[in-house]
Amino acid sequence: MDQVLTQQEIDSLLNAMNNGEIVEEKTEKKEELKVKSYDFRRPTKLSKEYVNTLHMIFEDFSKVSSNVLSTLLRSNISFNLASIEQVSYDEFIHSVPRFTLLGLFHSEPLKGIQILEMNPQLCMLIVELLCGGTDNGKQENISLKEKDSFTDIELILLKEIVIEMTKIYENVWKDIIELQTEFDELDSNPQLLQNMSPNEPVVMITFTVRIGDVDSFVNICVPYVFFEGLTDKLSFHNWFLIYSQKYTRYPSNTCFTR
């Protein structure tokens, strides 16, 4: 039961408050600040909508690469898109092996140098298949313990594969923009590359590659300057218009005759 105060007790409380003996406590609810964490080492320049469009573009890249590499290597190649991340160039360099294959190329009229990185183990398996070897799935046959560079013959063979993949890269962009992709050079030491500043934002596209029982990775590094002036074309609305035009090129009542 609630306690009932007498009139004398009420007067005493009011006098105590007036004299400052009792201070009224005011509780104010502080609004919680909505703060989002931001990692300056992983800059996000492209919105989620644009990244979703990139997913569709590089899904096509993975499908075409599977077919082309399977034909060139005469083996069953599984090439799948794994992830698309926005990172700094320095983070990309430190995420790849110290000894690896780096194919540098550019795509006119857009800016920046793009990099195709292939794991050395995958490279040696590709060389073996190009030289007439068979896909026996024995990963231990490819030893890289004492290898720190590619031979001239290996580079010639791998260069052809890189050039074919740059052609695929050019082809998957054709619905959005016409590119003229040109191969520049091969390198094997990412620490010596100085074509970008360490803090420059890039988009890193990672693919998983499976040949027999051997699993490996291929990365494509695209600088943000490549996307400048291109972001409007990466919108979902523009992508929808492209495909609607492609599939409605012929009216439904069109009659084809032999």
Side-chain angles (χ1 to χ4, degrees):
M1 181 179 293
D2 295 334
Q3 183 179 2
V4 179
L5 299 178
T6 64
Q7 185 61 43
Q8 184 178 1
E9 291 174 332
I10 293 174
D11 294 338
S12 299
L13 287 174
L14 291 175
N15 291 331
M17 290 182 63
N18 292 333
N19 296 332
E21 297 178 4
I22 298 178
V23 179
E24 183 180 1
E25 295 183 358
K26 296 181 180 180
T27 57
E28 297 180 356
K29 294 183 179 180
K30 296 182 179 179
E31 295 183 359
E32 295 183 359
L33 297 177
K34 297 181 179 179
V35 179
K36 291 185 178 180
S37 60
Y38 185 86
D39 189 347
F40 288 93
R41 294 173 300 178
R42 302 174 67 91
T44 54
K45 290 283 189 176
L46 298 177
S47 67
K48 186 177 180 180
E49 179 185 6
Y50 300 152
V51 174
N52 288 338
T53 302
L54 292 181
H55 267 277
M56 291 185 282
I57 293 172
F58 286 104
E59 280 285 358
D60 289 343
F61 180 91
S62 63
K63 293 175 183 177
V64 178
S65 296
S66 294
N67 295 331
V68 172
L69 292 179
S70 296
T71 302
L72 291 174
L73 303 179
R74 298 180 180 88
S75 183
N76 186 22
I77 312 296
S78 176
F79 205 99
N80 296 296
L81 176 63
S83 65
I84 296 179
E85 298 180 87
Q86 299 184 62
V87 298
S88 67
Y89 178 65
D90 183 65
E91 189 173 356
F92 164 74
I93 290 298
H94 286 87
S95 67
V96 300
R98 289 183 176 273
F99 166 58
T100 188
L101 182 73
L102 300 165
L104 280 66
F105 60 98
H106 65 278
S107 304
E108 298 290 345
L110 302 180
K111 301 177 182 179
I113 298 295
Q114 294 99 71
I115 303 174
L116 175 71
E117 186 266 329
M118 296 176 62
N119 188 280
Q121 185 182 43
L122 175 62
C123 291
M124 297 313 300
L125 179 55
I126 289 175
V127 169
E128 183 178 340
L129 293 173
L130 288 173
C131 291
T134 58
D135 175 20
N136 54 16
K138 293 182 179 179
Q139 186 172 353
E140 62 271 15
N141 289 344
I142 307 169
S143 177
L144 297 171
K145 292 181 180 179
E146 299 179 358
K147 192 173 183 64
D148 58 0
S149 64
F150 295 105
T151 66
D152 291 340
I153 294 178
E154 290 168 350
L155 288 175
I156 291 173
L157 295 174
L158 293 170
K159 178 181 176 181
E160 296 302 318
I161 297 297
V162 172
I163 290 176
E164 286 297 325
M165 296 189 74
T166 59
K167 292 178 181 178
I168 298 171
Y169 182 88
E170 176 183 308
N171 183 66
V172 297
W173 281 98
K174 67 180 182 181
D175 288 332
I176 293 182
I177 185 172
E178 291 289 339
L179 297 179
Q180 294 181 352
T181 302
E182 297 291 338
F183 169 81
D184 292 328
E185 61 177 330
L186 290 180
D187 207 325
S188 59
N189 189 345
Q191 304 298 325
L192 298 180
L193 290 182
Q194 298 181 351
N195 55 315
M196 301 183 211
S197 63
N199 295 325
E200 184 169 352
V202 300
V203 175
M204 183 174 70
I205 305 100
T206 302
F207 303 90
T208 59
V209 184
R210 185 176 181 85
I211 306 178
D213 292 335
V214 178
D215 294 311
S216 190
F217 295 91
V218 169
N219 293 305
I220 296 180
C221 173
V222 184
Y224 177 72
V225 292
F226 175 90
F227 301 101
E228 290 181 349
L230 186 64
T231 52
D232 290 341
K233 296 182 179 181
L234 293 178
S235 67
F236 181 79
H237 177 70
N238 182 72
W239 186 261
F240 178 78
L241 288 178
I242 290 172
Y243 273 83
S244 61
Q245 291 173 1
K246 180 183 293 186
Y247 292 108
T248 59
R249 187 171 298 172
Y250 301 106
S252 58
N253 59 353
T254 301
C255 179
F256 295 94
T257 59
R258 294 184 179 180

